[in-house]
């Protein structure tokens, strides 16, 4: 059984203007097959035309495209028992 990955680079707060993209990045201690999930408030985010979720090795990236005032709030990233929020 693989040991759980931990978050080694936490999310940083991002300020962006309406119509801009907001980019959030998190880095894990190692690559993992564990489910990693992004949230806006309590809502789980999926990769779609509004959100782009990328994984490159240990780096997990969330891009919120053309943000609006409705996108304002807490972004969190969860893997296993570990959470980072911005």
């Amino acid at each position: 059984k693989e040991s759980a990955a931990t978050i080694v680079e936490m999310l940083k707060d991002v300020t962006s203007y309406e119509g801009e993209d907001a980019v959030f990045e998190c880095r894990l201690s190692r690559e993992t097959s564990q489910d990693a999930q992004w949230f806006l408030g309590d809502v789980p985010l999926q990769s779609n035309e509004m959100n782009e979720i990328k994984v490159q090795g240990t780096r997990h990236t969330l891009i919120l495209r053309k943000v609006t005032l409705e996108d304002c709030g807490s972004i969190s990233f969860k893997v296993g028992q570990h959470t980072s929020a911005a």
Side-chain angles (χ1 to χ4, degrees):
K1 182 176 159 84
E2 66 177 359
S3 62
T6 59
I7 300 171
V8 293
E9 195 175 295
M10 296 298 208
L11 291 174
K12 294 176 180 58
D13 288 339
V14 172
T15 302
S16 47
Y17 295 97
E18 258 191 310
E20 291 183 343
D21 292 351
V23 179
F24 297 88
E25 279 193 343
C26 219
R27 204 157 52 82
L28 301 181
S29 56
R30 57 185 197 70
E31 291 185 40
T32 179
S33 59
Q34 277 181 289
D35 285 340
Q37 180 68 63
W38 291 94
F39 294 87
L40 173 58
D42 296 329
V43 181
L45 297 175
Q46 305 295 324
S47 223
N48 57 33
E49 66 278 352
M50 300 301 294
N51 315 310
E52 185 179 346
I53 295 171
K54 296 193 293 192
V55 179
Q56 295 165 299
T58 60
R59 186 171 301 281
H60 291 250
T61 307
L62 168 67
I63 302 169
L64 299 180
R65 302 230 175 265
K66 296 183 175 53
V67 295
T68 65
L69 290 174
E70 287 77 49
D71 295 318
C72 192
S74 176
I75 293 285
S76 56
F77 176 80
K78 293 182 182 158
V79 61
Q81 300 299 307
H82 304 280
T83 304
S84 178

